[in-house]
PDB file of all heavy atoms in Angstrom:
ATOM      1  N   THR Z   1     160.117  19.046 -59.932  1.00 87.00           N
ATOM      2  CA  THR Z   1     160.997  20.212 -60.055  1.00 87.00           C
ATOM      3  C   THR Z   1     161.884  20.147 -61.293  1.00 87.00           C
ATOM      4  O   THR Z   1     162.687  21.044 -61.516  1.00 87.00           O
ATOM      5  CB  THR Z   1     161.888  20.358 -58.808  1.00 87.00           C
ATOM      6  OG1 THR Z   1     162.696  19.181 -58.690  1.00 87.00           O
ATOM      7  CG2 THR Z   1     161.055  20.563 -57.559  1.00 87.00           C
ATOM      8  N   ASP Z   2     161.754  19.083 -62.097  1.00 88.00           N
ATOM      9  CA  ASP Z   2     162.570  18.947 -63.301  1.00 88.00           C
ATOM     10  C   ASP Z   2     162.107  19.952 -64.349  1.00 88.00           C
ATOM     11  O   ASP Z   2     160.942  19.987 -64.726  1.00 88.00           O
ATOM     12  CB  ASP Z   2     162.469  17.527 -63.847  1.00 88.00           C
ATOM     13  CG  ASP Z   2     163.395  17.279 -65.032  1.00 88.00           C
ATOM     14  OD1 ASP Z   2     164.252  18.132 -65.314  1.00 88.00           O
ATOM     15  OD2 ASP Z   2     163.251  16.226 -65.675  1.00 88.00           O
ATOM     16  N   TYR Z   3     163.019  20.769 -64.813  1.00 90.00           N
ATOM     17  CA  TYR Z   3     162.710  21.819 -65.793  1.00 90.00           C
ATOM     18  C   TYR Z   3     163.081  21.401 -67.210  1.00 90.00           C
ATOM     19  O   TYR Z   3     162.926  22.164 -68.148  1.00 90.00           O
ATOM     20  CB  TYR Z   3     163.458  23.114 -65.425  1.00 90.00           C
ATOM     21  CG  TYR Z   3     164.941  22.884 -65.230  1.00 90.00           C
ATOM     22  CD1 TYR Z   3     165.823  22.956 -66.293  1.00 90.00           C
ATOM     23  CD2 TYR Z   3     165.452  22.567 -63.979  1.00 90.00           C
ATOM     24  CE1 TYR Z   3     167.169  22.720 -66.128  1.00 90.00           C
ATOM     25  CE2 TYR Z   3     166.798  22.339 -63.794  1.00 90.00           C
ATOM     26  CZ  TYR Z   3     167.648  22.418 -64.866  1.00 90.00           C
ATOM     27  OH  TYR Z   3     168.989  22.171 -64.704  1.00 90.00           O
ATOM     28  N   ARG Z   4     163.534  20.177 -67.403  1.00 90.00           N
ATOM     29  CA  ARG Z   4     163.991  19.723 -68.721  1.00 90.00           C
ATOM     30  C   ARG Z   4     162.954  18.864 -69.435  1.00 90.00           C
ATOM     31  O   ARG Z   4     163.295  18.027 -70.261  1.00 90.00           O
ATOM     32  CB  ARG Z   4     165.293  18.940 -68.551  1.00 90.00           C
ATOM     33  CG  ARG Z   4     166.417  19.821 -68.011  1.00 90.00           C
ATOM     34  CD  ARG Z   4     167.559  18.997 -67.549  1.00 90.00           C
ATOM     35  NE  ARG Z   4     167.101  18.213 -66.395  1.00 90.00           N
ATOM     36  CZ  ARG Z   4     167.893  17.511 -65.611  1.00 90.00           C
ATOM     37  NH1 ARG Z   4     169.160  17.436 -65.853  1.00 90.00           N
ATOM     38  NH2 ARG Z   4     167.399  16.847 -64.589  1.00 90.00           N
ATOM     39  N   TRP Z   5     161.683  19.061 -69.140  1.00 94.00           N
ATOM     40  CA  TRP Z   5     160.622  18.214 -69.688  1.00 94.00           C
ATOM     41  C   TRP Z   5     160.512  18.348 -71.201  1.00 94.00           C
ATOM     42  O   TRP Z   5     160.663  19.429 -71.754  1.00 94.00           O
ATOM     43  CB  TRP Z   5     159.291  18.507 -69.000  1.00 94.00           C
ATOM     44  CG  TRP Z   5     159.003  19.944 -68.707  1.00 94.00           C
ATOM     45  CD1 TRP Z   5     159.273  20.621 -67.563  1.00 94.00           C
ATOM     46  CD2 TRP Z   5     158.366  20.885 -69.574  1.00 94.00           C
ATOM     47  NE1 TRP Z   5     158.853  21.926 -67.655  1.00 94.00           N
ATOM     48  CE2 TRP Z   5     158.288  22.111 -68.890  1.00 94.00           C
ATOM     49  CE3 TRP Z   5     157.855  20.809 -70.859  1.00 94.00           C
ATOM     50  CZ2 TRP Z   5     157.717  23.249 -69.442  1.00 94.00           C
ATOM     51  CZ3 TRP Z   5     157.290  21.950 -71.423  1.00 94.00           C
ATOM     52  CH2 TRP Z   5     157.225  23.148 -70.701  1.00 94.00           C
ATOM     53  N   HIS Z   6     160.256  17.191 -71.845  1.00 95.00           N
ATOM     54  CA  HIS Z   6     160.197  17.140 -73.302  1.00 95.00           C
ATOM     55  C   HIS Z   6     159.710  15.768 -73.756  1.00 95.00           C
ATOM     56  O   HIS Z   6     159.551  14.853 -72.956  1.00 95.00           O
ATOM     57  CB  HIS Z   6     161.582  17.398 -73.901  1.00 95.00           C
ATOM     58  CG  HIS Z   6     162.562  16.303 -73.598  1.00 95.00           C
ATOM     59  ND1 HIS Z   6     163.201  16.187 -72.377  1.00 95.00           N
ATOM     60  CD2 HIS Z   6     162.993  15.250 -74.340  1.00 95.00           C
ATOM     61  CE1 HIS Z   6     163.983  15.131 -72.389  1.00 95.00           C
ATOM     62  NE2 HIS Z   6     163.875  14.534 -73.575  1.00 95.00           N
ATOM     63  N   TYR Z   7     159.517  15.643 -75.045  1.00 97.00           N
ATOM     64  CA  TYR Z   7     159.313  14.357 -75.707  1.00 97.00           C
ATOM     65  C   TYR Z   7     160.484  14.173 -76.665  1.00 97.00           C
ATOM     66  O   TYR Z   7     160.950  15.137 -77.275  1.00 97.00           O
ATOM     67  CB  TYR Z   7     158.035  14.352 -76.547  1.00 97.00           C
ATOM     68  CG  TYR Z   7     156.742  14.269 -75.785  1.00 97.00           C
ATOM     69  CD1 TYR Z   7     156.105  15.417 -75.333  1.00 97.00           C
ATOM     70  CD2 TYR Z   7     156.129  13.038 -75.547  1.00 97.00           C
ATOM     71  CE1 TYR Z   7     154.906  15.339 -74.642  1.00 97.00           C
ATOM     72  CE2 TYR Z   7     154.926  12.957 -74.867  1.00 97.00           C
ATOM     73  CZ  TYR Z   7     154.316  14.111 -74.413  1.00 97.00           C
ATOM     74  OH  TYR Z   7     153.127  14.037 -73.746  1.00 97.00           O
ATOM     75  N   ASP Z   8     160.943  12.941 -76.815  1.00 95.00           N
ATOM     76  CA  ASP Z   8     161.883  12.621 -77.888  1.00 95.00           C
ATOM     77  C   ASP Z   8     161.049  12.244 -79.099  1.00 95.00           C
ATOM     78  O   ASP Z   8     160.073  11.498 -78.976  1.00 95.00           O
ATOM     79  CB  ASP Z   8     162.774  11.433 -77.507  1.00 95.00           C
ATOM     80  CG  ASP Z   8     163.790  11.781 -76.429  1.00 95.00           C
ATOM     81  OD1 ASP Z   8     164.060  12.977 -76.217  1.00 95.00           O
ATOM     82  OD2 ASP Z   8     164.313  10.845 -75.807  1.00 95.00           O
ATOM     83  N   VAL Z   9     161.417  12.764 -80.263  1.00 96.00           N
ATOM     84  CA  VAL Z   9     160.669  12.450 -81.479  1.00 96.00           C
ATOM     85  C   VAL Z   9     161.620  12.035 -82.596  1.00 96.00           C
ATOM     86  O   VAL Z   9     162.727  12.538 -82.707  1.00 96.00           O
ATOM     87  CB  VAL Z   9     159.759  13.615 -81.949  1.00 96.00           C
ATOM     88  CG1 VAL Z   9     158.656  13.874 -80.954  1.00 96.00           C
ATOM     89  CG2 VAL Z   9     160.538  14.881 -82.173  1.00 96.00           C
ATOM     90  N   THR Z  10     161.139  11.114 -83.407  1.00 95.00           N
ATOM     91  CA  THR Z  10     161.907  10.600 -84.536  1.00 95.00           C
ATOM     92  C   THR Z  10     161.871  11.620 -85.683  1.00 95.00           C
ATOM     93  O   THR Z  10     161.056  12.551 -85.677  1.00 95.00           O
ATOM     94  CB  THR Z  10     161.314   9.266 -85.003  1.00 95.00           C
ATOM     95  OG1 THR Z  10     159.953   9.494 -85.402  1.00 95.00           O
ATOM     96  CG2 THR Z  10     161.384   8.212 -83.913  1.00 95.00           C
ATOM     97  N   PRO Z  11     162.732  11.434 -86.690  1.00 96.00           N
ATOM     98  CA  PRO Z  11     162.738  12.376 -87.819  1.00 96.00           C
ATOM     99  C   PRO Z  11     161.369  12.530 -88.492  1.00 96.00           C
ATOM    100  O   PRO Z  11     160.998  13.643 -88.874  1.00 96.00           O
ATOM    101  CB  PRO Z  11     163.771  11.779 -88.770  1.00 96.00           C
ATOM    102  CG  PRO Z  11     164.734  11.071 -87.860  1.00 96.00           C
ATOM    103  CD  PRO Z  11     163.852  10.488 -86.777  1.00 96.00           C
ATOM    104  N   ASN Z  12     160.618  11.443 -88.647  1.00 96.00           N
ATOM    105  CA  ASN Z  12     159.302  11.545 -89.282  1.00 96.00           C
ATOM    106  C   ASN Z  12     158.341  12.387 -88.449  1.00 96.00           C
ATOM    107  O   ASN Z  12     157.593  13.210 -88.986  1.00 96.00           O
ATOM    108  CB  ASN Z  12     158.709  10.160 -89.528  1.00 96.00           C
ATOM    109  CG  ASN Z  12     159.423   9.421 -90.638  1.00 96.00           C
ATOM    110  OD1 ASN Z  12     160.116  10.023 -91.447  1.00 96.00           O
ATOM    111  ND2 ASN Z  12     159.276   8.116 -90.657  1.00 96.00           N
ATOM    112  N   LYS Z  13     158.340  12.167 -87.131  1.00 97.00           N
ATOM    113  CA  LYS Z  13     157.465  12.957 -86.247  1.00 97.00           C
ATOM    114  C   LYS Z  13     157.930  14.406 -86.195  1.00 97.00           C
ATOM    115  O   LYS Z  13     157.124  15.322 -86.077  1.00 97.00           O
ATOM    116  CB  LYS Z  13     157.425  12.363 -84.841  1.00 97.00           C
ATOM    117  CG  LYS Z  13     156.694  11.047 -84.755  1.00 97.00           C
ATOM    118  CD  LYS Z  13     155.203  11.214 -84.990  1.00 97.00           C
ATOM    119  CE  LYS Z  13     154.484   9.886 -84.802  1.00 97.00           C
ATOM    120  NZ  LYS Z  13     153.052   9.997 -85.022  1.00 97.00           N
ATOM    121  N   ARG Z  14     159.240  14.632 -86.309  1.00 97.00           N
ATOM    122  CA  ARG Z  14     159.751  16.001 -86.329  1.00 97.00           C
ATOM    123  C   ARG Z  14     159.214  16.743 -87.551  1.00 97.00           C
ATOM    124  O   ARG Z  14     158.768  17.887 -87.458  1.00 97.00           O
ATOM    125  CB  ARG Z  14     161.275  16.010 -86.347  1.00 97.00           C
ATOM    126  CG  ARG Z  14     161.858  17.420 -86.319  1.00 97.00           C
ATOM    127  CD  ARG Z  14     163.360  17.406 -86.570  1.00 97.00           C
ATOM    128  NE  ARG Z  14     163.949  18.701 -86.331  1.00 97.00           N
ATOM    129  CZ  ARG Z  14     163.924  19.715 -87.190  1.00 97.00           C
ATOM    130  NH1 ARG Z  14     163.305  19.574 -88.355  1.00 97.00           N
ATOM    131  NH2 ARG Z  14     164.482  20.866 -86.888  1.00 97.00           N
ATOM    132  N   ALA Z  15     159.270  16.083 -88.709  1.00 97.00           N
ATOM    133  CA  ALA Z  15     158.765  16.702 -89.938  1.00 97.00           C
ATOM    134  C   ALA Z  15     157.284  17.038 -89.800  1.00 97.00           C
ATOM    135  O   ALA Z  15     156.842  18.118 -90.215  1.00 97.00           O
ATOM    136  CB  ALA Z  15     158.996  15.771 -91.127  1.00 97.00           C
ATOM    137  N   LEU Z  16     156.514  16.138 -89.197  1.00 97.00           N
ATOM    138  CA  LEU Z  16     155.089  16.392 -88.975  1.00 97.00           C
ATOM    139  C   LEU Z  16     154.897  17.559 -88.009  1.00 97.00           C
ATOM    140  O   LEU Z  16     154.048  18.423 -88.219  1.00 97.00           O
ATOM    141  CB  LEU Z  16     154.407  15.130 -88.438  1.00 97.00           C
ATOM    142  CG  LEU Z  16     152.905  15.188 -88.245  1.00 97.00           C
ATOM    143  CD1 LEU Z  16     152.190  15.496 -89.564  1.00 97.00           C
ATOM    144  CD2 LEU Z  16     152.405  13.866 -87.653  1.00 97.00           C
ATOM    145  N   ALA Z  17     155.715  17.609 -86.964  1.00 97.00           N
ATOM    146  CA  ALA Z  17     155.628  18.709 -85.993  1.00 97.00           C
ATOM    147  C   ALA Z  17     155.871  20.055 -86.670  1.00 97.00           C
ATOM    148  O   ALA Z  17     155.168  21.033 -86.405  1.00 97.00           O
ATOM    149  CB  ALA Z  17     156.627  18.495 -84.860  1.00 97.00           C
ATOM    150  N   VAL Z  18     156.851  20.108 -87.548  1.00 97.00           N
ATOM    151  CA  VAL Z  18     157.144  21.352 -88.271  1.00 97.00           C
ATOM    152  C   VAL Z  18     155.957  21.717 -89.171  1.00 97.00           C
ATOM    153  O   VAL Z  18     155.563  22.887 -89.233  1.00 97.00           O
ATOM    154  CB  VAL Z  18     158.458  21.220 -89.073  1.00 97.00           C
ATOM    155  CG1 VAL Z  18     158.655  22.407 -90.011  1.00 97.00           C
ATOM    156  CG2 VAL Z  18     159.641  21.079 -88.120  1.00 97.00           C
ATOM    157  N   ARG Z  19     155.356  20.728 -89.834  1.00 97.00           N
ATOM    158  CA  ARG Z  19     154.171  21.007 -90.661  1.00 97.00           C
ATOM    159  C   ARG Z  19     153.027  21.543 -89.813  1.00 97.00           C
ATOM    160  O   ARG Z  19     152.249  22.369 -90.267  1.00 97.00           O
ATOM    161  CB  ARG Z  19     153.728  19.749 -91.416  1.00 97.00           C
ATOM    162  CG  ARG Z  19     154.537  19.471 -92.652  1.00 97.00           C
ATOM    163  CD  ARG Z  19     153.845  18.535 -93.622  1.00 97.00           C
ATOM    164  NE  ARG Z  19     153.485  17.236 -93.084  1.00 97.00           N
ATOM    165  CZ  ARG Z  19     154.290  16.187 -93.021  1.00 97.00           C
ATOM    166  NH1 ARG Z  19     155.518  16.286 -93.478  1.00 97.00           N
ATOM    167  NH2 ARG Z  19     153.874  15.045 -92.525  1.00 97.00           N
ATOM    168  N   TYR Z  20     152.916  21.086 -88.571  1.00 97.00           N
ATOM    169  CA  TYR Z  20     151.858  21.547 -87.671  1.00 97.00           C
ATOM    170  C   TYR Z  20     152.183  22.870 -86.990  1.00 97.00           C
ATOM    171  O   TYR Z  20     151.389  23.385 -86.228  1.00 97.00           O
ATOM    172  CB  TYR Z  20     151.567  20.501 -86.604  1.00 97.00           C
ATOM    173  CG  TYR Z  20     150.815  19.285 -87.071  1.00 97.00           C
ATOM    174  CD1 TYR Z  20     150.667  18.195 -86.227  1.00 97.00           C
ATOM    175  CD2 TYR Z  20     150.248  19.197 -88.339  1.00 97.00           C
ATOM    176  CE1 TYR Z  20     149.974  17.063 -86.622  1.00 97.00           C
ATOM    177  CE2 TYR Z  20     149.562  18.070 -88.749  1.00 97.00           C
ATOM    178  CZ  TYR Z  20     149.424  17.010 -87.882  1.00 97.00           C
ATOM    179  OH  TYR Z  20     148.733  15.888 -88.286  1.00 97.00           O
ATOM    180  N   GLY Z  21     153.386  23.401 -87.244  1.00 96.00           N
ATOM    181  CA  GLY Z  21     153.705  24.728 -86.725  1.00 96.00           C
ATOM    182  C   GLY Z  21     154.760  24.810 -85.645  1.00 96.00           C
ATOM    183  O   GLY Z  21     154.994  25.891 -85.095  1.00 96.00           O
ATOM    184  N   ALA Z  22     155.431  23.714 -85.328  1.00 96.00           N
ATOM    185  CA  ALA Z  22     156.516  23.775 -84.345  1.00 96.00           C
ATOM    186  C   ALA Z  22     157.648  24.623 -84.892  1.00 96.00           C
ATOM    187  O   ALA Z  22     157.956  24.567 -86.089  1.00 96.00           O
ATOM    188  CB  ALA Z  22     157.020  22.378 -84.001  1.00 96.00           C
ATOM    189  N   GLN Z  23     158.252  25.400 -84.045  1.00 95.00           N
ATOM    190  CA  GLN Z  23     159.356  26.262 -84.453  1.00 95.00           C
ATOM    191  C   GLN Z  23     160.655  25.460 -84.404  1.00 95.00           C
ATOM    192  O   GLN Z  23     160.974  24.843 -83.380  1.00 95.00           O
ATOM    193  CB  GLN Z  23     159.450  27.472 -83.518  1.00 95.00           C
ATOM    194  CG  GLN Z  23     160.535  28.440 -83.905  1.00 95.00           C
ATOM    195  CD  GLN Z  23     160.557  29.647 -82.992  1.00 95.00           C
ATOM    196  OE1 GLN Z  23     159.575  29.973 -82.341  1.00 95.00           O
ATOM    197  NE2 GLN Z  23     161.692  30.320 -82.942  1.00 95.00           N
ATOM    198  N   GLU Z  24     161.401  25.474 -85.502  1.00 96.00           N
ATOM    199  CA  GLU Z  24     162.680  24.775 -85.558  1.00 96.00           C
ATOM    200  C   GLU Z  24     163.739  25.612 -84.849  1.00 96.00           C
ATOM    201  O   GLU Z  24     163.909  26.788 -85.155  1.00 96.00           O
ATOM    202  CB  GLU Z  24     163.098  24.529 -87.001  1.00 96.00           C
ATOM    203  CG  GLU Z  24     162.157  23.599 -87.748  1.00 96.00           C
ATOM    204  CD  GLU Z  24     162.560  23.414 -89.190  1.00 96.00           C
ATOM    205  OE1 GLU Z  24     162.151  24.255 -90.017  1.00 96.00           O
ATOM    206  OE2 GLU Z  24     163.286  22.438 -89.476  1.00 96.00           O
ATOM    207  N   VAL Z  25     164.422  24.994 -83.889  1.00 95.00           N
ATOM    208  CA  VAL Z  25     165.458  25.681 -83.118  1.00 95.00           C
ATOM    209  C   VAL Z  25     166.677  24.766 -83.016  1.00 95.00           C
ATOM    210  O   VAL Z  25     166.613  23.592 -83.348  1.00 95.00           O
ATOM    211  CB  VAL Z  25     164.953  26.057 -81.705  1.00 95.00           C
ATOM    212  CG1 VAL Z  25     163.792  27.048 -81.788  1.00 95.00           C
ATOM    213  CG2 VAL Z  25     164.550  24.821 -80.910  1.00 95.00           C
ATOM    214  N   ASP Z  26     167.787  25.323 -82.527  1.00 93.00           N
ATOM    215  CA  ASP Z  26     168.978  24.499 -82.331  1.00 93.00           C
ATOM    216  C   ASP Z  26     169.117  24.115 -80.861  1.00 93.00           C
ATOM    217  O   ASP Z  26     168.353  24.559 -80.005  1.00 93.00           O
ATOM    218  CB  ASP Z  26     170.229  25.217 -82.850  1.00 93.00           C
ATOM    219  CG  ASP Z  26     170.513  26.524 -82.132  1.00 93.00           C
ATOM    220  OD1 ASP Z  26     169.877  26.819 -81.102  1.00 93.00           O
ATOM    221  OD2 ASP Z  26     171.394  27.265 -82.602  1.00 93.00           O
ATOM    222  N   ARG Z  27     170.108  23.274 -80.561  1.00 90.00           N
ATOM    223  CA  ARG Z  27     170.326  22.804 -79.191  1.00 90.00           C
ATOM    224  C   ARG Z  27     170.619  23.952 -78.238  1.00 90.00           C
ATOM    225  O   ARG Z  27     170.229  23.914 -77.081  1.00 90.00           O
ATOM    226  CB  ARG Z  27     171.491  21.815 -79.145  1.00 90.00           C
ATOM    227  CG  ARG Z  27     171.170  20.491 -79.747  1.00 90.00           C
ATOM    228  CD  ARG Z  27     172.332  19.545 -79.633  1.00 90.00           C
ATOM    229  NE  ARG Z  27     173.520  20.150 -80.233  1.00 90.00           N
ATOM    230  CZ  ARG Z  27     174.760  19.756 -80.012  1.00 90.00           C
ATOM    231  NH1 ARG Z  27     174.997  18.748 -79.235  1.00 90.00           N
ATOM    232  NH2 ARG Z  27     175.768  20.339 -80.596  1.00 90.00           N
ATOM    233  N   ARG Z  28     171.315  24.946 -78.716  1.00 90.00           N
ATOM    234  CA  ARG Z  28     171.663  26.099 -77.866  1.00 90.00           C
ATOM    235  C   ARG Z  28     170.387  26.808 -77.390  1.00 90.00           C
ATOM    236  O   ARG Z  28     170.271  27.192 -76.234  1.00 90.00           O
ATOM    237  CB  ARG Z  28     172.562  27.059 -78.628  1.00 90.00           C
ATOM    238  CG  ARG Z  28     172.926  28.287 -77.804  1.00 90.00           C
ATOM    239  CD  ARG Z  28     174.097  29.024 -78.367  1.00 90.00           C
ATOM    240  NE  ARG Z  28     175.282  28.314 -77.919  1.00 90.00           N
ATOM    241  CZ  ARG Z  28     176.334  28.058 -78.663  1.00 90.00           C
ATOM    242  NH1 ARG Z  28     176.384  28.450 -79.890  1.00 90.00           N
ATOM    243  NH2 ARG Z  28     177.371  27.417 -78.177  1.00 90.00           N
ATOM    244  N   PHE Z  29     169.425  26.972 -78.275  1.00 93.00           N
ATOM    245  CA  PHE Z  29     168.157  27.603 -77.899  1.00 93.00           C
ATOM    246  C   PHE Z  29     167.453  26.773 -76.829  1.00 93.00           C
ATOM    247  O   PHE Z  29     166.955  27.310 -75.843  1.00 93.00           O
ATOM    248  CB  PHE Z  29     167.241  27.771 -79.117  1.00 93.00           C
ATOM    249  CG  PHE Z  29     165.911  28.354 -78.775  1.00 93.00           C
ATOM    250  CD1 PHE Z  29     165.717  29.721 -78.780  1.00 93.00           C
ATOM    251  CD2 PHE Z  29     164.843  27.541 -78.418  1.00 93.00           C
ATOM    252  CE1 PHE Z  29     164.490  30.271 -78.438  1.00 93.00           C
ATOM    253  CE2 PHE Z  29     163.613  28.075 -78.077  1.00 93.00           C
ATOM    254  CZ  PHE Z  29     163.436  29.441 -78.088  1.00 93.00           C
ATOM    255  N   VAL Z  30     167.415  25.457 -77.035  1.00 92.00           N
ATOM    256  CA  VAL Z  30     166.759  24.583 -76.059  1.00 92.00           C
ATOM    257  C   VAL Z  30     167.471  24.698 -74.710  1.00 92.00           C
ATOM    258  O   VAL Z  30     166.835  24.753 -73.665  1.00 92.00           O
ATOM    259  CB  VAL Z  30     166.701  23.127 -76.561  1.00 92.00           C
ATOM    260  CG1 VAL Z  30     166.191  22.193 -75.481  1.00 92.00           C
ATOM    261  CG2 VAL Z  30     165.809  23.039 -77.797  1.00 92.00           C
ATOM    262  N   GLY Z  31     168.795  24.761 -74.729  1.00 89.00           N
ATOM    263  CA  GLY Z  31     169.550  24.929 -73.493  1.00 89.00           C
ATOM    264  C   GLY Z  31     169.183  26.220 -72.776  1.00 89.00           C
ATOM    265  O   GLY Z  31     168.991  26.240 -71.554  1.00 89.00           O
ATOM    266  N   GLN Z  32     169.059  27.305 -73.521  1.00 90.00           N
ATOM    267  CA  GLN Z  32     168.673  28.586 -72.919  1.00 90.00           C
ATOM    268  C   GLN Z  32     167.248  28.532 -72.369  1.00 90.00           C
ATOM    269  O   GLN Z  32     166.958  29.104 -71.323  1.00 90.00           O
ATOM    270  CB  GLN Z  32     168.803  29.715 -73.955  1.00 90.00           C
ATOM    271  CG  GLN Z  32     170.233  30.036 -74.337  1.00 90.00           C
ATOM    272  CD  GLN Z  32     171.052  30.496 -73.156  1.00 90.00           C
ATOM    273  OE1 GLN Z  32     170.618  31.300 -72.346  1.00 90.00           O
ATOM    274  NE2 GLN Z  32     172.259  29.966 -73.044  1.00 90.00           N
ATOM    275  N   LEU Z  33     166.372  27.835 -73.080  1.00 92.00           N
ATOM    276  CA  LEU Z  33     165.001  27.667 -72.599  1.00 92.00           C
ATOM    277  C   LEU Z  33     164.994  26.923 -71.265  1.00 92.00           C
ATOM    278  O   LEU Z  33     164.289  27.305 -70.327  1.00 92.00           O
ATOM    279  CB  LEU Z  33     164.170  26.907 -73.646  1.00 92.00           C
ATOM    280  CG  LEU Z  33     162.730  26.600 -73.285  1.00 92.00           C
ATOM    281  CD1 LEU Z  33     161.930  27.889 -73.132  1.00 92.00           C
ATOM    282  CD2 LEU Z  33     162.108  25.707 -74.344  1.00 92.00           C
ATOM    283  N   MET Z  34     165.820  25.895 -71.159  1.00 90.00           N
ATOM    284  CA  MET Z  34     165.897  25.134 -69.913  1.00 90.00           C
ATOM    285  C   MET Z  34     166.452  25.990 -68.775  1.00 90.00           C
ATOM    286  O   MET Z  34     165.989  25.904 -67.640  1.00 90.00           O
ATOM    287  CB  MET Z  34     166.765  23.879 -70.092  1.00 90.00           C
ATOM    288  CG  MET Z  34     166.286  22.926 -71.155  1.00 90.00           C
ATOM    289  SD  MET Z  34     164.617  22.344 -70.890  1.00 90.00           S
ATOM    290  CE  MET Z  34     164.270  21.530 -72.422  1.00 90.00           C
ATOM    291  N   ILE Z  35     167.429  26.831 -69.067  1.00 89.00           N
ATOM    292  CA  ILE Z  35     167.978  27.731 -68.045  1.00 89.00           C
ATOM    293  C   ILE Z  35     166.894  28.693 -67.561  1.00 89.00           C
ATOM    294  O   ILE Z  35     166.757  28.935 -66.362  1.00 89.00           O
ATOM    295  CB  ILE Z  35     169.209  28.491 -68.580  1.00 89.00           C
ATOM    296  CG1 ILE Z  35     170.401  27.525 -68.706  1.00 89.00           C
ATOM    297  CG2 ILE Z  35     169.563  29.662 -67.662  1.00 89.00           C
ATOM    298  CD1 ILE Z  35     171.589  28.119 -69.418  1.00 89.00           C
TER     299      ILE Z  35
END
């Protein structure tokens, strides 16, 4: 029932994720997504 599922990623993996098409968002957006 946990709705806060995610992976923690390091700065290098974050940069790769953005290159692969991940959308960059702020903490507030993630909070709203969890709600």
Side-chain angles (χ1 to χ4, degrees):
T1 61
D2 185 10
Y3 53 88
R4 296 166 294 190
W5 40 267
H6 67 281
Y7 286 88
D8 289 341
V9 294
T10 60
N12 289 341
K13 290 291 184 180
R14 182 189 189 280
L16 184 59
V18 170
R19 280 199 302 275
Y20 286 171
Q23 182 178 338
E24 296 178 274
V25 297
D26 61 10
R27 288 182 305 162
R28 179 163 279 138
F29 177 90
V30 173
Q32 291 299 316
L33 178 64
M34 301 302 170
I35 288 171

